[in-house]
Amino acid sequence: MSPTTAGPTEREARKVAEGARESEWTKPSFGKELFLGRLRLDLIHPWPTNSPEQVERGEAYLDRLRPYVETIDAARIERDAAIPDEVIADLAALGTFGLKLPEAYGGQGLSHLYYCKALALVGSAHGALGTLLSAHQSIGVPQPVKMFGTDEQKRRFLPRVAAGEVSAFLLTEPDVGSDPARLGTSATPVEGGYLINGVKLWATNGTIAGLLVVMARVEKAEGHRGGITAFVVEADAPGITVENRNAFMGLRGIENSVTRFHDVFVPAENVLAGEGRGLKIALTTLNTGRLSLPAMCVSASKWCLNVARGWSAERVQWGRPVGRHEALAVKISFMAATTYAMEAMVDLTCLLADDDANDIRLEAALLKLWASEMGWRIADDLVQIRGGRGFETAASQRARGERGIEAEQVLRDLRIMRIFEGSTEIMHLLIAREAVDAHLAVAGDIIDPDASREDKIRAVAKAGAFYATWLPTLVAGKGVVPNAFAEFGALAGHLRFLERTTRKLARSTFYAMGRWQGGMERKQAFLGRIVDIGAELFAMSAACVRATAEAADRPEGVELADLFCEQARVRVDALFHSLWDNTDTADNAAAKRVLEGRYVFLEEGIRLASQDGPWVAPVAPGPSQKPDARRHLSAPGVAG
Ligand SMILES: Cc1cc2nc3c(=O)[nH]c(=O)nc-3n(C[C@H](O)[C@H](O)[C@H](O)COP(=O)(O)OP(=O)(O)OC[C@H]3O[C@@H](n4cnc5c(N)ncnc54)[C@H](O)[C@@H]3O)c2cc1C
């Protein structure tokens, strides 16, 4: 099969994604309600808290971790593009590989909130350290085994990973990125288990892991439900070869692999949750797993703000500190306000996850999308604020006798946040799917090209009944009552905006459903803006609720929440405007012409990118022809 073209159709790809989707909503969801036009503040206000025991345990843990983090030689990691064995061993000894695991399995038993705080702390030393721990715990063995493993699997695997045996998650393949329907790795049933064959790409921790979660396809057959299945695999099983350690624009020190499986035997007892449950496991694991990357974005944003504050006050050009020139002042203000909101959003989503009374899948998805985009903008602003020094490496600054500030490194390290664990484009689609779910549920057969005439007539009647009760709720609400939300004091006006705008968002989605019906799913730019508005509204809500809860102890928080809301409202207004006033149609047509080569003349006059080799390398089955690039950690006490 030609890797870039043939394969499952768009409809089949969507079917696979749809099959993996959790369609049930058994718990309330602030995010879901938001897209339905209801600002359910009661779900997040008053600000939730961890129990006193969770706080005590978490704070004590951070107190133990902080002094060690201060000693890490981050410049060495950046220079050597490797995390030294002893750092991994030290982090393991401190329990950072089992932060969320119960004590019974050797873990630290931290809440999601403190897990994220610990991750942010370690990640602030070097991005590769945060990625090591995050990939291990948010998608690697600990989380899916904790959630879906049998008691026996938990007893077998969790103590190992809690003690510091590194784990990795292997879904991506050369031909499988955002589209798991193309998954080619196979698991063939044999006596007592399965034989896995295939090649996995870009597995973070893959070169040092002792345990792997591998996604492979089982063919449907007598006694086999079949489908994409999750396996826990011992990394030193015969037939596994790490064929390459991949290198990237940022995150130097990340241990990322190409891993080949050739007739790798995996016992049946290593299947997680049964055949065909692999993608559901991946998606469910990511509900809370998606908290990790935003925690690292918070970490990076705080770091950027700290540097911007010190530098902008000290550096004088044209007669005043650079931070007092308006062009930079607006950037510094954006950084401070956005960092406040981003931390409020991460903490709130963690606290909701800890409370377990709410469904947080949409909040976590909105958070991942928004924090990765905003973190990137903040780091980019810092590079600009630092001027030439922003582009210069820290090592070069140190060599010249100046303080080494890693602004360019942080920018490089953050770029991938917008791509992995669901790219921005895929997050838009995933969230939009939930945002329009209510409409699809009632109007599904109206817009389904395959539905019969009778089904469509029935669906029209059903939809009519739903909209007759739903639409009037979008017309008026508390947001138009002058003194509503008075308990939010200075922020009450923003709460009224939130309430009004939440209804406007649902009305806009409804109009669009009416206008495009079945074509709506192709309106990615429109849906992306709807989702971006939802993310801003969630961020505003989190900032206001937190600031109000802490107003007595930290009145500055109210200033920042107010500032953030002013800035977010400008973005929201612009997004609403561009819902209906945009160049989407022209852009679609133009992109088609670009792809057809109409504007090739534009590419003349330069030396072009390499034309050697295929865009996507075809996977040749069989044993590896390459030496094993696996790195065996040598430090005592660490398996690998
Ligand atoms: C440093 C690094 C670490 C990683 N770690 C892991 C790991 O530990 N385990 C693992 O399994 N994978 C890992 N990955 C893979 C990562 O998750 C993928 O890169 C990501 O899922 C995107 O897939 P892709 O790169 O193949 O892009 P593609 O899927 O080829 O997408 C290319 C572009 O098209 C867009 N696109 C794709 N489909 C659509 C659509 N339907 N609508 C609109 N736009 C679309 C994408 O957003 C992107 O902009 C890692 C990657 C990197 C670079």
Side-chain angles (χ1 to χ4, degrees), residues 10 131 135 139 168-179 200-206 248 250-251 254 256 416 418-427 429 524 616:
E10 189 175 352
T131 311
I139 52 178
F169 172 82
L170 291 76
L171 167 65
T172 304
E173 298 174 7
D175 199 23
V176 181
S178 311
D179 176 8
K200 293 291 185 181
L201 179 61
W202 293 327
T204 301
N205 297 345
F248 302 96
L251 294 179
I254 187 179
N256 187 283
I416 187 62
R418 297 165 60 199
I419 296 173
F420 62 13
E421 289 189 19
S423 67
T424 287
E425 293 75 20
I426 295 299
M427 297 313 289
L429 294 186
Q524 291 191 347
V616 176

Side-chain angles (χ1 to χ4, degrees), residues 341-342 344-345 370 534-544 564-565:
M342 197 190 294
M345 237 170 147
W370 191 87
E536 296 283 4
L537 299 185
F538 178 38
M540 286 174 70
S541 306
C544 287
F564 175 75
C565 289

Side-chain angles (χ1 to χ4, degrees), residues 89 167 208 289 380 411 433 456 461 502 505:
S167 69
I208 56 171
D380 187 49
L411 185 74
R433 171 68 184 84
K456 281 184 192 278
T502 301
L505 182 64

Side-chain angles (χ1 to χ4, degrees), residues 317-634:
Q317 293 286 281
W318 292 41
R320 46 167 83 195
V322 290
R324 301 285 305 284
H325 291 296
E326 190 177 75
L328 293 202
V330 295
K331 294 191 195 310
I332 294 166
S333 163
F334 167 76
M335 282 169 127
T338 308
T339 302
Y340 182 80
M342 197 190 294
E343 189 174 31
M345 237 170 147
V346 171
D347 287 3
L348 175 62
T349 313
C350 285
L351 287 162
L352 292 174
D354 287 331
D355 191 29
D356 207 24
N358 289 315
D359 190 316
I360 60 134
R361 89 185 85 144
L362 267 187
E363 289 77 353
L366 287 167
L367 175 59
K368 192 278 170 181
L369 166 72
W370 191 87
S372 60
E373 291 291 331
M374 290 298 174
W376 167 255
R377 273 198 231 172
I378 285 175
D380 187 49
D381 277 353
L382 179 69
V383 168
Q384 198 67 20
I385 288 170
R386 287 274 290 158
R389 288 169 179 81
F391 190 66
E392 187 181 20
T393 66
S396 172
Q397 293 162 46
R398 277 192 289 270
R400 295 193 293 101
E402 283 189 5
R403 199 180 292 189
I405 300 293
E406 297 87 351
E408 57 82 36
Q409 180 191 321
V410 169
L411 185 74
R412 287 188 284 106
D413 288 354
L414 278 180
R415 186 60 184 83
I416 187 62
M417 302 284 177
R418 297 165 60 199
I419 296 173
F420 62 13
E421 289 189 19
S423 67
T424 287
E425 293 75 20
I426 295 299
M427 297 313 289
H428 274 150
L429 294 186
L430 198 134
I431 298 166
R433 171 68 184 84
E434 303 303 339
V436 297
D437 180 55
H439 304 279
L440 290 175
V442 290
D445 282 341
I446 304 175
I447 58 178
D448 182 354
D450 297 338
S452 67
R453 195 167 166 272
E454 290 72 31
D455 285 344
K456 281 184 192 278
I457 291 169
R458 254 195 306 276
V460 168
K462 198 171 137 206
F466 169 77
Y467 289 120
T469 53
W470 182 66
L471 277 174
T473 67
L474 301 183
V475 177
K478 225 173 138 183
V480 292
V481 179
N483 292 320
F485 300 104
E487 70 273 27
F488 285 88
L491 302 173
H494 297 310
L495 270 297
R496 292 196 290 275
F497 172 87
L498 275 169
E499 199 281 331
R500 291 193 305 273
T501 311
T502 301
R503 285 185 283 111
K504 185 174 172 184
L505 182 64
R507 284 199 305 271
S508 304
T509 313
F510 171 73
Y511 296 148
M513 273 301 286
R515 180 161 166 185
W516 291 308
Q517 303 198 0
M520 177 93 159
E521 66 185 5
R522 295 206 165 275
K523 292 285 173 191
Q524 291 191 347
F526 177 92
L527 290 171
R529 293 181 196 109
I530 289 281
V531 170
D532 286 341
I533 294 170
E536 296 283 4
L537 299 185
F538 178 38
M540 286 174 70
S541 306
C544 287
V545 173
R546 165 165 248 169
T548 305
E550 297 176 350
D553 298 332
R554 186 174 278 164
E556 313 90 297
V558 176
E559 289 165 25
L560 286 168
D562 182 34
L563 176 65
F564 175 75
C565 289
E566 293 293 346
Q567 294 171 357
R569 284 169 73 157
V570 174
R571 291 193 292 269
V572 166
D573 286 347
L575 282 164
F576 268 116
H577 181 75
S578 59
L579 282 180
W580 309 108
D581 187 1
N582 54 58
T583 56
D584 296 349
T585 306
D587 294 338
N588 264 314
K592 186 162 175 276
R593 291 195 296 271
V594 170
L595 265 53
E596 286 164 356
R598 183 169 169 82
Y599 306 128
V600 174
F601 71 91
L602 281 174
E603 299 159 18
E604 289 167 3
I606 57 157
R607 178 183 152 157
L608 294 173
S610 167
Q611 308 288 308
D612 293 341
W615 287 106
V616 176
V619 171
S624 182
Q625 305 299 321
K626 295 188 175 169
D628 192 12
R630 186 163 166 212
R631 171 180 160 199
H632 292 271
L633 298 176
S634 59

